[in-house]
Amino acid sequence: MASSLTKDSASTPGSEKTFFGHPRGLATLFMTEMWERFSFYGMKALLPLYLVAPGGMDMDAATATAIFSIYMAMVYLLAMPGGWFADRLWGPRKTITIAALVIMAGHITLALPGKAVFFLGLVLVAMGSGLLKANISTMVGHLYDGPDDPRRDGGFTVFYIGINLGAFFAPLAIGTVGEKVNWHLGFALAAFGMALGLAQFLLGGRHLSERSSVVPKPVDRPELMGLLRKAMLWIIAAVVFYGVTIATGVYTLNWAIVPITIAGLVIPIWVLARIKRDKELTDVEQSRMTAYIWFFVAAAVFWMIYDQGASTVALFGKNSTDTSIFGFDFPVSWYQSVNPVLIMALAPVAAFLWMALNRRDKEPTTVVKFAIGLVITGASFFVFLLPLSMAGDGEKVGAYWMVAIYFMHTVGELCVSPVGLSVTTKMAPAKYASQMLGVWFLAVTAGDCTTGLLSTAGVDLNKTGVVAMEATLAVIAGIAVYMYRKKVKALMGEVN
């Protein structure tokens, strides 16, 4: 990508050059995140197809959806301990280096044949992604002179472009190689992408802020040893428990899937309840946390449907859509490039629309934007009912149905995701300021674990009745949020 590198009188960490008018370190983090997203979204596009493929894991759609949902949930669940490692043990820069190595090891493991190494690879990629996810955004913030730096919002916008560039090209490259050449070679290509990202990160490290190497609140030795003891006890208990189930011949995949999905639902509830019960919070903070629960539940419903775009909807695309345009036959994984390209096209439009409405004092409140996003996302599954019904007799439907669903998902995402991130930082109690971003990610965990639990229970998510139920749930949730908007707004106080 062409860069605008010019001399600037303002000193930036490690260099006087700038990247599109921003600190030079933004180029390093832009490229690192682009390649990390390349590996992550390539994996996302390939995984459900590999799980059901006769030449892959040859699983049924329900099991594949459950595994994919759990994998996605764990990535976001592990963002919280990822933040802890950076804050208490290694600092953001070292944490990201270790995370990239773990992600590479995971993709390399996935490139090896065998069911056991496959699940080990999934665990490693989820762990590495969790370590990296929140910390690289923190490092972008370190490049600027506090939250009032006028370049800060623009810097995050440029960084967001890097995310979507990686997400766009990943299915085109990794998906094509995996589907058309060899599944394991596709996973190896994801490892290569992460290797490029790590090399870029290490070579450009001199341009990053020195704050990124600092451990903000170092853990003392007694606390660390106590945590290690607890972790070892949990590991030993798990090894003994699963060793017994395997030895007695009663083990099935559900013995692993069900506990993880339940944990993915219980942990977000426990975290929110713990914060809400904290006696040190002021009355204003307590009120905001009550309001935040509305946003959290709404976001969980949104992500439950949205992330099925890469599982339920993608598997429908594999089996029931005509993957050819003007005589050109394309891999099914290419559908996963639709969302990032639409994000890049529509995000500036959404930003312009909100600003134009704001100038006229007509911009919707955060609550209303959430309601709109939920209703549109629910409506996308009502649209999904049409091709589902048309393909019921074995006929394939046009690719434009998939594009229409992903278009609605994208519009819903622009109403929920950036708005949710913003309101999370604004409403966070002072005591939990650094943890609340992880709490927001837990909404994704809760939504994906709900999908995983439904699939594990034998619910066929590609049936019209189930799709209609999910669509109705999202629309009702959106209407409920809108109806109670004044109450939620009152609980938010001065936060807009």
Side-chain angles (χ1 to χ4, degrees):
M1 182 175 182
S3 63
S4 174
L5 296 175
T6 59
K7 291 287 182 182
D8 188 271
S9 58
S11 135
T12 56
S15 177
E16 293 182 352
K17 295 181 178 180
T18 63
F19 178 68
F20 291 105
H22 293 274
R24 182 64 181 85
L26 184 62
T28 298
L29 298 177
F30 175 98
M31 295 297 292
T32 303
E33 179 71 349
M34 186 187 76
W35 284 114
E36 189 276 330
R37 292 291 91 183
F38 176 85
S39 71
F40 177 81
Y41 279 93
M43 172 76 171
K44 184 178 177 181
L46 212 56
L47 181 57
L49 304 177
Y50 174 73
L51 290 171
V52 300
M57 299 296 284
D58 200 18
M59 296 177 174
D60 59 80
T63 304
T65 300
I67 291 173
F68 175 81
S69 299
I70 290 170
Y71 163 72
M72 292 294 292
M74 291 304 102
V75 167
Y76 288 92
L77 178 63
L78 292 169
M80 285 200 77
W84 184 91
F85 275 99
D87 286 344
R88 307 297 307 278
L89 202 60
W90 296 325
R93 186 185 297 206
K94 186 175 181 180
T95 302
I96 288 176
T97 303
I98 293 170
L101 290 170
V102 173
I103 292 170
M104 282 174 55
H107 285 304
I108 291 170
T109 305
L110 288 168
L112 303 174
K115 185 173 288 189
V117 293
F118 170 78
F119 287 108
L120 174 61
L122 273 189
V123 171
L124 289 172
V125 174
M127 287 173 59
S129 298
L131 282 173
L132 186 143
K133 190 155 191 67
N135 289 310
I136 196 163
S137 296
T138 300
M139 289 184 67
V140 173
H142 287 167
L143 296 172
Y144 299 94
D145 298 325
D148 295 327
D149 190 321
R151 301 172 300 168
R152 185 184 177 93
D153 287 350
F156 274 96
T157 300
V158 174
F159 180 70
Y160 196 58
I161 292 172
I163 292 173
N164 285 286
L165 279 175
F168 171 70
F169 286 111
L172 304 182
I174 294 172
T176 302
V177 170
E179 282 190 74
K180 300 299 184 181
V181 182
N182 182 277
W183 295 108
H184 297 291
L185 190 58
F187 294 128
L189 184 57
F192 178 70
M194 189 66 260
L196 290 176
L198 177 60
Q200 163 71 22
F201 182 74
L202 295 176
L203 290 172
R206 66 186 184 279
H207 301 299
L208 302 175
S209 169
E210 293 181 359
R211 291 173 57 199
S212 297
S213 300
V214 175
V215 181
K217 300 175 183 176
V219 62
D220 56 43
R221 184 173 178 79
E223 182 183 358
L224 180 60
M225 295 308 296
L227 290 170
L228 287 174
R229 281 193 294 270
K230 290 179 182 178
M232 287 304 299
L233 287 174
W234 279 105
I235 292 171
I236 291 169
V239 169
V240 170
F241 176 78
Y242 285 106
V244 171
T245 60
I246 293 170
T248 55
V250 299
Y251 176 82
T252 65
L253 195 56
N254 282 349
W255 281 91
I257 291 176
V258 174
I260 294 174
T261 52
I262 292 175
L265 291 171
V266 171
I267 290 173
I269 295 171
W270 176 78
V271 170
L272 283 173
R274 181 173 62 87
I275 296 175
K276 191 73 180 70
R277 291 199 309 265
D278 192 330
K279 303 295 185 183
E280 295 182 13
L281 299 189
T282 66
D283 291 341
V284 171
E285 290 174 330
Q286 283 283 0
S287 179
R288 288 178 180 173
M289 281 306 301
T290 301
Y292 187 75
I293 291 171
W294 281 82
F295 292 110
F296 186 92
V297 173
V301 175
F302 168 81
W303 292 113
M304 179 185 72
I305 292 179
Y306 178 91
D307 275 351
Q308 287 185 61
S311 55
T312 305
V313 180
L315 292 177
F316 170 80
K318 174 183 180 296
N319 299 321
S320 304
T321 62
D322 180 15
T323 54
S324 63
I325 297 178
F326 303 119
F328 172 72
D329 188 51
F330 59 88
V332 179
S333 54
W334 282 23
Y335 281 128
Q336 299 308 310
S337 289
V338 174
N339 172 257
V341 77
L342 287 175
I343 284 286
M344 287 188 285
L346 296 178
V349 176
F352 175 80
L353 177 63
W354 299 142
M355 286 191 295
L357 291 172
N358 182 267
R359 284 194 295 267
R360 300 177 185 178
D361 201 25
K362 292 183 179 181
E363 182 183 2
T365 63
T366 300
V367 187
V368 173
K369 288 177 183 177
F370 256 73
I372 293 170
L374 272 174
V375 170
I376 291 174
T377 307
S380 74
F381 263 34
F382 280 124
V383 171
F384 187 24
L385 289 172
L386 298 175
L388 271 176
S389 301
M390 293 163 61
D393 56 2
E395 291 188 10
K396 291 186 179 294
V397 301
Y400 54 83
W401 286 108
M402 298 283 286
V403 175
I405 294 167
Y406 290 134
F407 174 82
M408 297 178 76
H409 281 184
T410 302
V411 175
E413 179 184 0
L414 290 171
C415 292
V416 172
S417 185
V419 175
L421 285 168
S422 176
V423 81
T424 297
T425 58
K426 290 177 181 177
M427 295 173 64
K431 183 178 178 179
Y432 298 98
S434 62
Q435 299 179 39
M436 283 300 289
L437 191 60
V439 174
W440 168 253
F441 289 145
L442 288 180
V444 188
T445 299
D448 283 333
C449 281
T450 301
T451 302
L453 202 58
L454 288 171
S455 299
T456 305
V459 177
D460 187 348
L461 297 175
N462 257 317
K463 292 295 184 182
T464 54
V466 179
V467 171
M469 179 190 70
E470 292 183 270
T472 303
L473 173 64
V475 171
I476 290 175
I479 293 172
V481 169
Y482 181 79
M483 289 177 63
Y484 284 88
R485 66 190 183 282
K486 292 182 180 178
K487 178 179 179 180
V488 177
K489 184 66 182 71
L491 290 169
M492 292 170 67
E494 296 179 358
V495 176
N496 294 316

